């Protein structure tokens, strides 16, 4: 492959061999990633078999979507996979933000308190919560928000958390992935510890985990939570789902989320899959493999850019809990070059030049590179960077390991070509 890349597509042979040499050192780590995929594949296979998935479940439903058997079996599979009482898995959930918003609005009422023990939430949640004023936010409905910052080293500040838990908040939201911040992504074990602390001090608090980007990166999921939510155009859609989101967990909290998604009284009983049930189910089946490809690309990016002297988070050998690789590129020119490289590695829209632009839900200009089959899909090869100091690029995705590897090669190539770095 490196021979191919160095002879074709304008890749500098030095760039190709730099990446190839870095990769030589990673096969041990990659074998562990494959092992995780194997475990998750078996779990999914088991859930599909136990749910008696059948050909007939791939039939279409329209209109209200009453008794949509494909949807029902898909939700049964998700519930089994996450050891949950219920699941809401719908194309009508537009994204992860929408799934999280349905869970929050569905379960919070005026005068309730929402608490984040893990610092600032993902950018798009700021307008949902009302940290950044927005029409229709939780704040407008009289729901207040509290947050405990993380400690300097990125760990939970259990003292500050215990203090806030004294007020017995109605709901807690825990973000597993770093999102667009330079912190560690929490492992499932860390999240379970935090959940245990919350349960012991505030037993009636509903615990929601934002599981975006985390699914199938490890062999377990943060199932101790009352609710988990995520996006199907990230990990659990396997790159095949054309859209959708999920909420899984305790029956009554999932149903409350469904009442918010559809309407009070309708809840989860309606919702046509509109011909998508096969691809949603097939995407889930492929997800462990797709996620493993993305994780290998992330590890390779950490290695390559770490060797070039950039700060990377996580470091190469760290235990991973999401597919995101953050690289501190220090200046806007590096970010632009990196992102142009990712765009040039795309199967779709490789000829366009990504530029920073305002994005709905984000406070800063954001540059997003990625020519994807599914719009905005970040389980596909992509890179995003909010244009703010210290200019961190978040690299993720790749439907196949060779493609996520190609992303690293093209990003490096562009930085070298533009004279940003020397190798
Ligand atoms: C992607 C993501 C979300 C939701 O974003 P959408 O683009 O709406 O799917 C929320 N939290 C985290 C940590 C994410 O990575």
């Amino acid at each position: 492959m490196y021979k191919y890349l160095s002879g074709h597509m304008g890749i500098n042979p030095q760039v190709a061999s730099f990446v190839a040499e870095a990769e030589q050192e990673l096969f041990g780590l990659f074998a562990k990633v494959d092992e995780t995929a194997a475990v998750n594949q078996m779990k999914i296979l088991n859930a599909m078999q136990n749910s008696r998935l059948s050909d007939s479940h791939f039939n279409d439903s329209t209109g209200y979507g009453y008794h949509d058997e494909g949807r029902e079996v898909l939700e049964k599979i998700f519930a089994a996979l996450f050891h949950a009482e219920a699941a809401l898995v719908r194309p009508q959930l537009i994204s992860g933000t929408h799934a999280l918003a349905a869970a929050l609005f569905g379960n919070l009422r005026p005068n309730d308190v929402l608490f984040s023990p893990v610092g600032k939430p993902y950018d798009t949640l700021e307008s949902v919560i009302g940290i950044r004023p927005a029409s229709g936010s939780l704040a407008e409905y009289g729901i207040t928000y509290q947050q405990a910052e993380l400690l300097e080293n990125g760990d939970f500040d259990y003292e500050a958390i215990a203090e806030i838990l004294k007020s017995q908040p109605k709901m807690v939201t825990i973000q597993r992935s770093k999102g667009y911040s330079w912190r560690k992504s929490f492992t499932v074990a860390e999240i379970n510890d935090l959940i245990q602390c919350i349960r012991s001090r505030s037993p009636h608090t509903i615990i929601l985990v934002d599981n975006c980007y985390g699914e199938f990166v490890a062999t377990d999921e943060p199932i101790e939570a009352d609710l988990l939510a995520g996006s199907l155009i990230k990990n659990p859609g396997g790159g095949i789902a054309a859209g959708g989101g999920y909420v899984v967990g305790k029956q009554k909290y999932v149903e409350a989320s469904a009442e918010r998604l559809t309407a009070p009284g309708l809840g989860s009983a309606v919702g046509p899959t509109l011909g998508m049930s096969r691809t949603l189910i097939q995407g889930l089946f492929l997800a462990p493999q797709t996620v493993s490809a993305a994780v290998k690309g992330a590890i390779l990016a950490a290695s390559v850019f770490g060797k070039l002297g950039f700060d990377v988070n996580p470091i190469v050998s760290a235990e991973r809990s999401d597919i995101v690789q953050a690289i501190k590129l220090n200046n806007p020119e590096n970010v632009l070059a990196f992102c142009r490289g990712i765009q040039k590695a795309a199967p779709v829209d490789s000829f366009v030049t990504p530029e920073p632009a305002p994005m709905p839900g984000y406070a800063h200009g954001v540059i997003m590179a990625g020519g994807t089959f599914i719009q905005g899909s970040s389980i596909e090869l992509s890179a995003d960077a909010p244009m703010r100091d210290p200019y961190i690029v978040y690299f993720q995705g790749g439907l196949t390991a060779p493609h996520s590897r190609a992303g690293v090669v093209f990003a490096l190539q562009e930085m070298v070509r533009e004279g940003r770095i020397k190798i």
Side-chain angles (χ1 to χ4, degrees):
M1 158 177 177
Y2 290 102
K3 232 180 187 167
Y4 178 82
L5 274 177
S6 62
H8 297 75
M9 297 183 85
I11 300 293
N12 174 341
Q14 271 173 299
V15 167
S17 61
F18 190 89
V19 176
E21 278 163 31
E23 195 180 32
Q24 289 294 322
E25 299 164 8
L26 299 174
F27 292 138
L29 287 174
F30 285 7
K32 285 197 187 134
V33 174
D34 287 335
E35 238 169 79
T36 300
V39 171
N40 285 320
Q41 191 69 71
M42 293 305 271
K43 282 207 247 180
I44 290 174
L45 184 61
N46 190 41
M48 290 185 174
Q49 292 181 348
N50 289 343
S51 303
R52 300 183 63 80
L53 178 63
S54 169
D55 202 32
S56 62
H57 293 126
F58 306 141
N59 292 336
D60 209 353
S61 89
T62 55
Y64 294 110
Y66 290 129
H67 311 298
D68 179 324
E69 288 184 14
R71 184 193 75 214
E72 286 169 4
V73 79
L74 172 63
E75 293 183 340
K76 198 168 162 190
I77 292 165
F78 259 78
L81 203 49
F82 290 94
H83 300 271
E85 292 172 9
L88 186 70
V89 188
R90 303 293 169 106
Q92 288 83 11
L93 287 166
I94 300 305
S95 66
T97 306
H98 190 193
L100 288 158
L104 292 168
F105 277 97
N107 287 286
L108 289 163
R109 295 293 180 271
N111 304 319
D112 283 345
V113 174
L114 171 67
F115 170 38
S116 167
V118 297
K120 187 182 94 56
Y122 190 76
D123 294 50
T124 58
L125 269 296
E126 290 186 2
S127 45
V128 172
I129 294 168
I131 300 169
R132 187 153 23 92
S135 174
S137 68
L138 289 169
E140 276 201 349
Y141 286 88
I143 292 147
T144 50
Y145 171 73
Q146 286 194 290
Q147 156 180 324
E149 301 306 326
L150 296 169
L151 296 171
E152 198 97 14
N153 67 2
D155 287 343
F156 306 132
D157 184 347
Y158 275 112
E159 231 169 86
I161 290 168
E163 193 53 40
I164 293 177
L165 287 174
K166 282 184 185 159
S167 69
Q168 311 284 303
K170 177 68 176 294
M171 201 162 178
V172 159
T173 179
I174 301 169
Q175 185 180 307
R176 174 175 175 180
S177 169
K178 65 177 68 63
Y180 283 160
S181 65
W182 188 266
R183 65 145 164 99
K184 64 179 174 182
S185 297
F186 300 117
T187 63
V188 171
E190 286 169 326
I191 292 172
N192 285 344
D193 276 350
L194 178 58
I195 290 174
Q196 207 176 8
C197 159
I198 296 164
R199 294 246 189 268
S200 69
R201 290 166 190 275
S202 186
H204 302 297
T205 295
I206 304 166
I207 302 172
L208 166 68
V209 170
D210 172 355
N211 207 28
C212 283
Y213 279 143
E215 300 90 352
F216 313 129
V217 172
T219 52
D220 49 3
E221 302 290 336
I223 56 171
E224 301 299 324
D226 296 308
L227 283 173
L228 301 175
S231 165
L232 298 189
I233 61 169
K234 292 181 178 173
N235 308 15
I240 299 294
Y246 75 90
V247 179
V248 295
K250 297 234 168 82
Q251 167 76 36
K252 62 178 172 179
Y253 303 137
V254 171
E255 195 52 38
S257 311
E259 304 276 356
R260 172 69 195 198
L261 170 65
T262 63
L266 302 183
S268 61
V270 294
T273 39
L274 302 167
M276 285 172 68
S277 60
R278 178 183 57 79
T279 46
L280 297 182
I281 296 168
Q282 197 174 351
L284 176 66
F285 184 73
L286 291 172
Q289 171 72 20
T290 314
V291 168
S292 73
V295 172
K296 287 177 187 172
I299 295 171
L300 181 62
S303 169
V304 164
F305 289 91
K307 281 177 191 291
L308 291 166
F310 294 103
D311 275 347
V312 294
N313 177 12
I315 59 167
V316 175
S317 59
E319 179 182 355
R320 284 174 190 259
S321 193
D322 66 15
I323 63 167
V324 182
Q325 182 60 49
I327 307 164
K328 202 177 275 181
L329 290 176
N330 308 322
N331 60 57
E333 294 79 16
N334 282 347
V335 167
L336 294 175
F338 185 101
C339 290
R340 280 197 280 266
I342 296 299
Q343 193 71 36
K344 287 186 178 179
V348 181
D349 288 335
S350 61
F351 47 84
V352 306
T353 305
E355 297 284 352
M359 291 288 299
Y362 293 87
H364 294 80
V366 179
I367 183 165
M368 293 190 167
T372 53
F373 292 101
I374 307 295
Q375 189 188 88
S377 168
S378 46
I379 186 63
E380 297 184 48
L381 180 69
S382 50
D384 321 73
M387 295 306 282
R388 63 189 179 210
D389 202 46
Y391 295 96
I392 298 163
V393 74
Y394 297 85
F395 167 87
Q396 67 271 317
L399 294 182
T400 66
H403 192 228
S404 65
R405 190 196 287 150
V408 175
V409 171
F410 275 77
L412 179 60
Q413 161 75 20
E414 199 61 17
M415 290 181 73
V416 170
R417 194 185 67 78
E418 293 187 14
R420 304 303 318 167
I421 42 177
K422 285 203 166 51
I423 53 170

